[in-house]
Amino acid sequence: MRSVLVYLIASRLWRSETASHMDSHQHLPEALSDSIVAEVTHGTSDLHFEPSAEHYRLRARRLGKLVDVAQWPLFKGEQFVAALKNAARVDVTNRRVPQDGRFQLQSANLTLDCRLNSLPTLFGEKVVLRLFSDSNDRWTLTQLGLLPDQLTLVQETLKVPDGLILVTGPTGSGKTRSLYAMLQYLNHPQVNISTIEDPIEVPLPGINQTAATGHTELSFAACLRALLRQDPDVLMVGEIRDEETAEMTVRAAHTGHLVLATLHAGTPMAALIRLEQLGVRYAELAGCLRLVMNQRLVTLHDKRWGVFDLIPIQVQARRALLQPVGAGNFWLELDGIFSPAKPQPAQAL
């Protein structure tokens, strides 16, 4: 009962504030919206609103590491959480199930996209905001940190009308940003581009974006099956998670579509093994795989740096993939192709 009352009172408190003390777009308390916008200048990617027995704690992930930012009494923290959920258009009173939403914040010279996820915990609701600054050059290939020869390779591969481009790397390595930059490079009125994402990180004008869910009717595989009947030129699969999605992704790449997809794997070789575990035969990859781009982020001198390994699938790689598994030096030859001898130099982001 107390929790419901807290949320109702909190909702009335911040709604009753004057317009000068509220964000003009999402009705957030001014102190909260200013704090969120200010975090962007520190290189913050995520904000964590975490309840405990006595208080709410705010932590920020800056340059890959979590740091303490603020601490409030429980009641104040619950007000902020209620305001954030309302801005993201999720059910403010429902604290028993995870919820996802999004909203935008406007400042004098910045539009900030905020993706919200809430999760029930022992002492209340934890909320994480993922922050994306809406900068036009943020989602371009030239801003990824690729070396000149790597940039040329990616651009040339994107000109191929069909096949699979696979972006791999650990969680938080910037795979989605790389995919968005590729989509922006391909984004022309003459090209029909569709994406399947969970969730949609940032709206991209001119691109048809679909949010997949855990429901069977809106799974990655179900959405991909439907999109293949929508006359697409380019498809983006946010993540290959299961056997059906892997099968449909490869099939789309084989049937005249350019498919961009991500896979959680530490190395290009690990990505091949993961696809094989999901039921994709190496011989199938030989016919459709065009490029594997593995990436990770490192922190050096208080900056985030991108490190990229690009493996173009050329004649030697296709011949190796077409060999019977286990025949002769099959694994040794694959490892030699898909495991670069030395990493490329890092580029500042």
Side-chain angles (χ1 to χ4, degrees), residues 145-341:
L146 294 164
L147 297 175
D149 59 328
Q150 293 177 328
L151 177 61
T152 300
L153 175 59
V154 172
Q155 291 172 332
E156 291 300 316
T157 306
L158 288 171
K159 294 176 183 178
V160 177
D162 57 15
L164 174 62
I165 296 176
L166 199 59
V167 180
T168 69
T171 301
S173 60
K175 297 186 297 295
T176 299
R177 182 183 177 188
S178 295
L179 284 181
Y180 277 14
M182 292 181 189
L183 292 175
Q184 289 289 62
Y185 181 79
L186 295 166
N187 192 7
H188 301 287
Q190 300 84 6
V191 182
N192 181 16
I193 303 176
S194 295
T195 75
I196 308 167
E197 308 171 59
D198 181 20
I200 296 171
E201 301 277 11
V202 175
L204 299 175
I207 294 175
N208 307 293
Q209 296 173 271
T210 300
T213 69
H215 302 294
T216 304
E217 296 83 359
L218 271 178
S219 66
F220 273 95
C223 291
L224 185 53
R225 191 179 299 110
L227 282 179
L228 288 176
R229 298 191 290 268
Q230 295 262 323
D231 186 32
D233 297 305
V234 178
L235 293 169
M236 189 270 267
V237 180
E239 183 184 348
I240 299 176
R241 297 178 176 176
D242 53 54
E243 293 183 6
E244 190 177 8
T245 304
E247 177 189 353
M248 293 295 299
T249 299
V250 172
R251 184 184 303 174
H254 270 291
T255 54
H257 308 93
L258 180 61
V259 183
L260 318 178
T262 72
L263 188 69
H264 287 293
T267 66
M269 186 63 194
L272 293 185
I273 295 173
R274 177 60 182 148
L275 285 174
E276 195 270 340
Q277 292 172 340
L278 292 173
V280 179
R281 294 181 294 112
Y282 292 123
E284 292 179 287
L285 290 176
C288 71
L289 191 59
R290 302 286 181 256
L291 177 70
V292 180
M293 185 167 84
N294 183 260
Q295 62 184 79
R296 53 203 177 277
L297 295 180
V298 297
T299 302
L300 185 64
H301 303 310
D302 295 326
K303 288 185 178 181
R304 293 290 269 172
W305 302 72
V307 181
F308 298 85
D309 292 324
L310 270 63
I311 311 295
I313 310 305
Q314 299 172 337
V315 175
Q316 183 184 5
R318 291 194 180 93
R319 285 176 178 171
L321 289 168
L322 286 170
Q323 294 184 58
V325 177
N329 295 325
F330 176 80
W331 293 111
L332 187 61
E333 188 172 352
L334 272 189
D335 188 58
I337 296 170
F338 288 92
S339 297

Side-chain angles (χ1 to χ4, degrees), residues 35-50 57-70 84 100-101 103 112-118 126-133 138 171-174 176 199 201 297 304:
S35 296
I36 295 172
V37 172
E39 281 300 322
V40 178
T41 63
H42 297 294
T44 297
S45 61
D46 302 84
L47 289 174
H48 295 245
F49 297 79
E50 302 170 322
R57 174 177 63 171
L58 174 62
R59 292 195 292 172
R61 187 170 295 281
R62 297 175 181 171
L63 301 176
K65 296 181 179 179
L66 281 173
V67 297
D68 287 322
V69 175
L84 291 169
D100 289 290
F103 60 91
L112 189 63
D113 284 297
C114 304
R115 196 189 80 197
L116 176 144
N117 176 266
S118 66
K126 177 182 177 180
V127 165
V128 175
L129 285 185
R130 175 154 288 188
L131 309 179
F132 300 92
S133 58
R138 177 178 173 82
T171 301
S173 60
T176 299
E201 301 277 11
L297 295 180
R304 293 290 269 172

Side-chain angles (χ1 to χ4, degrees), residues 17 19-42 44 47 49 58 62 69-70 72 80 84 103-110 112 114 129 131:
E17 295 186 16
S20 62
H21 289 81
M22 306 293 283
D23 179 90
S24 61
H25 293 272
Q26 298 300 338
H27 308 293
L28 289 180
E30 185 180 36
L32 180 57
S33 61
D34 288 348
S35 296
I36 295 172
V37 172
E39 281 300 322
V40 178
T41 63
H42 297 294
T44 297
L47 289 174
F49 297 79
L58 174 62
R62 297 175 181 171
V69 175
W72 309 293
F80 286 162
L84 291 169
F103 60 91
Q104 280 192 342
L105 285 177
Q106 299 277 353
S107 68
N109 55 0
L110 177 70
L112 189 63
C114 304
L129 285 185
L131 309 179

Side-chain angles (χ1 to χ4, degrees), residues 122 137 216 306:
L122 178 62
D137 64 352
T216 304

